[in-house]
Amino acid sequence: MPRYTLVDYESASPEVRAIYDDFLRQTGSTTVPYWVQSLGCNVSLLHAYWERTKGSLVRGVMPAILKEMVIFVVSVENGSRYCSACHAHAVLGLDPTLKFEDLNALLDTEDRRLALPPSYRAALDFAIRMARDPNAVSDADFESLREADFDDAEIRELLAVIDLAAMFNQYTSALRLPLDPGYRPVLAPLPA
């Protein structure tokens, strides 16, 4: 029994196609990714997931590259094959100076090979701790963000991005969505 159905652009209802069009317009993408197509069979869920994505990822004050890096590290921590590949692709697309091999440095809280701004390292370290155990995040962890010049609104935005990643990690992992063409796997496939 298949876990998902992909609804491509041509087969989509007018309501679903309108959301696909908004996705393409907002992201600048030329294709509708599998995670979006997998929601095409339920316009209400597609709308809800897309609005949540726009609110947390597309809009806001945090730089897009930082948001993509955060989703990447959370996705790797959560073992999400689809999301880690998707957001590795996004990070590399936003910063052409990075190579695929450089992504490992984002995951290691001690690795300083990449010349990241201190605020980025603080956000990534916080995101990794959140992914590992949100109940173990301390006041000191929040203070490290403030020391890196995050204000309360930016901290809430960071939390929303981490939460968005966790939501999609669970969704795409449960469905075992295949990788879109052009995505390079970061994690090994799960056993059948």
Side-chain angles (χ1 to χ4, degrees):
M1 177 178 139
R3 295 183 182 205
Y4 60 87
T5 301
L6 298 179
V7 179
D8 64 22
Y9 188 89
E10 293 74 27
S11 304
S13 70
E15 297 85 4
V16 168
R17 194 175 290 176
I19 298 170
Y20 286 3
D21 288 337
D22 188 42
F23 174 89
L24 295 170
R25 199 172 31 259
Q26 295 279 336
T27 65
S29 181
T30 58
T31 58
V32 179
Y34 291 159
W35 75 264
V36 176
Q37 289 183 41
S38 73
L39 289 160
C41 61
N42 186 321
V43 70
S44 295
L45 283 179
L46 173 60
H47 176 75
Y49 274 63
W50 175 231
E51 287 300 315
R52 174 82 191 284
T53 302
K54 285 193 298 188
S56 299
L57 182 58
V58 178
R59 298 181 186 131
V61 297
M62 286 176 52
I65 185 73
L66 178 56
K67 290 181 184 185
E68 293 292 351
M69 287 176 172
V70 165
I71 294 175
F72 170 75
V73 299
V74 170
S75 298
V76 171
E77 284 294 323
N78 287 333
S80 175
R81 187 167 194 269
Y82 183 88
C83 292
S84 63
C86 173
H87 293 280
H89 182 81
V91 167
L92 297 174
L94 288 169
D95 186 345
T97 68
L98 292 175
K99 298 176 190 65
F100 189 81
E101 297 73 26
D102 294 331
L103 297 174
N104 285 329
L106 300 177
L107 302 165
D108 186 342
T109 60
E110 302 302 318
D111 192 331
R112 299 295 186 250
R113 283 179 292 151
L114 293 179
L116 295 175
S119 62
Y120 282 36
R121 187 72 260 169
L124 295 173
D125 291 351
F126 183 88
I128 290 168
R129 283 191 290 280
M130 282 284 296
R132 289 180 181 163
D133 185 359
N135 292 309
V137 173
S138 68
D139 290 344
D141 294 322
F142 277 89
E143 189 55 37
S144 70
L145 293 174
R146 288 188 183 88
E147 289 171 1
D149 293 327
F150 283 88
D151 62 27
D152 285 345
E154 291 167 324
I155 292 171
R156 296 311 173 273
E157 188 173 335
L158 176 59
L159 289 169
V161 171
I162 294 166
D163 185 55
L164 179 74
M167 177 184 77
F168 276 115
N169 292 169
Q170 291 183 4
Y171 177 80
T172 60
S173 293
L175 293 180
R176 293 197 180 167
L177 283 179
L179 302 185
D180 290 77
Y183 289 0
R184 185 172 169 187
V186 175
L187 302 171
L190 294 170

Coordinates of all heavy atoms in Angstrom, one line a residue, residues 21 23 44 57 84 97 100 102 120 122 143 157 162 166 175:
D21 N 0.7 27.6 -7.6 CA 1.1 28.8 -8.2 C 1.7 29.8 -7.2 O 2.7 30.5 -7.4 CB 0.0 29.5 -9.0 CG -0.4 28.8 -10.2 OD1 0.5 28.0 -10.8 OD2 -1.5 29.0 -10.7
F23 N 3.1 29.0 -4.3 CA 4.3 28.4 -3.9 C 5.4 28.8 -4.9 O 6.5 29.3 -4.5 CB 4.3 26.9 -3.8 CG 5.6 26.3 -3.5 CD1 6.0 26.1 -2.2 CD2 6.4 25.9 -4.6 CE1 7.3 25.6 -2.0 CE2 7.7 25.3 -4.3 CZ 8.1 25.2 -3.0
S44 N -7.3 21.6 2.0 CA -7.3 22.2 3.3 C -5.9 22.1 4.0 O -5.4 23.0 4.6 CB -8.4 21.7 4.3 OG -9.6 22.0 3.7
L57 N 9.0 30.5 7.3 CA 10.2 30.4 6.5 C 10.3 31.5 5.5 O 11.4 32.1 5.3 CB 10.2 29.0 5.8 CG 11.4 28.7 4.9 CD1 12.7 28.7 5.7 CD2 11.2 27.3 4.3
S84 N 16.4 16.9 5.1 CA 17.8 17.2 5.2 C 18.3 17.4 3.7 O 19.1 18.4 3.5 CB 18.6 16.1 5.9 OG 18.5 14.9 5.2
T97 N 29.2 29.9 -2.2 CA 30.5 29.7 -1.8 C 30.7 28.4 -1.0 O 31.8 27.9 -0.7 CB 31.1 30.8 -0.9 OG1 30.3 30.9 0.4 CG2 30.9 32.2 -1.6
F100 N 28.9 21.0 -0.7 CA 28.2 20.0 0.0 C 28.9 19.5 1.2 O 28.3 19.3 2.3 CB 27.9 18.8 -1.0 CG 26.9 17.8 -0.4 CD1 25.5 18.0 -0.4 CD2 27.4 16.6 0.2 CE1 24.6 17.1 0.1 CE2 26.5 15.7 0.7 CZ 25.1 15.9 0.6
D102 N 30.8 21.1 3.1 CA 30.8 22.1 4.2 C 29.7 21.9 5.1 O 29.7 22.5 6.2 CB 30.8 23.5 3.6 CG 32.1 23.8 2.8 OD1 33.1 23.3 3.1 OD2 31.9 24.6 1.8
Y120 N 24.8 33.2 13.8 CA 24.4 32.0 13.1 C 24.8 30.8 13.9 O 24.0 29.8 14.1 CB 25.1 32.0 11.7 CG 24.5 32.8 10.7 CD1 23.9 34.1 11.0 CD2 24.4 32.4 9.4 CE1 23.4 34.9 10.0 CE2 23.9 33.2 8.4 CZ 23.4 34.4 8.7 OH 22.8 35.2 7.7
A122 N 25.3 30.6 17.1 CA 24.4 30.5 18.3 C 23.1 30.0 17.9 O 22.5 29.1 18.7 CB 24.3 31.9 18.9
E143 N 19.8 32.7 26.9 CA 20.7 33.9 27.1 C 21.8 33.9 26.1 O 22.2 35.0 25.6 CB 21.3 33.8 28.5 CG 22.1 35.0 28.9 CD 21.3 36.3 28.8 OE1 20.1 36.3 29.1 OE2 21.9 37.3 28.4
E157 N 10.8 33.8 16.3 CA 10.9 33.3 14.9 C 11.8 32.1 14.7 O 11.5 31.2 14.0 CB 11.5 34.5 14.0 CG 11.4 34.2 12.5 CD 11.8 35.4 11.7 OE1 11.6 36.6 12.2 OE2 12.2 35.2 10.6
I162 N 12.3 26.2 13.9 CA 12.7 24.9 14.4 C 11.5 24.0 14.5 O 11.5 22.8 14.1 CB 13.3 25.0 15.8 CG1 14.7 25.7 15.7 CG2 13.5 23.7 16.5 CD1 15.2 26.2 17.0
A166 N 10.6 20.4 12.5 CA 10.2 19.2 13.2 C 8.9 18.7 12.6 O 8.7 17.4 12.4 CB 10.0 19.4 14.7
L175 N 5.9 9.4 5.6 CA 5.5 9.0 4.2 C 6.6 8.4 3.4 O 6.4 7.8 2.4 CB 5.0 10.3 3.5 CG 3.7 10.9 4.0 CD1 3.4 12.1 3.1 CD2 2.6 9.9 4.0

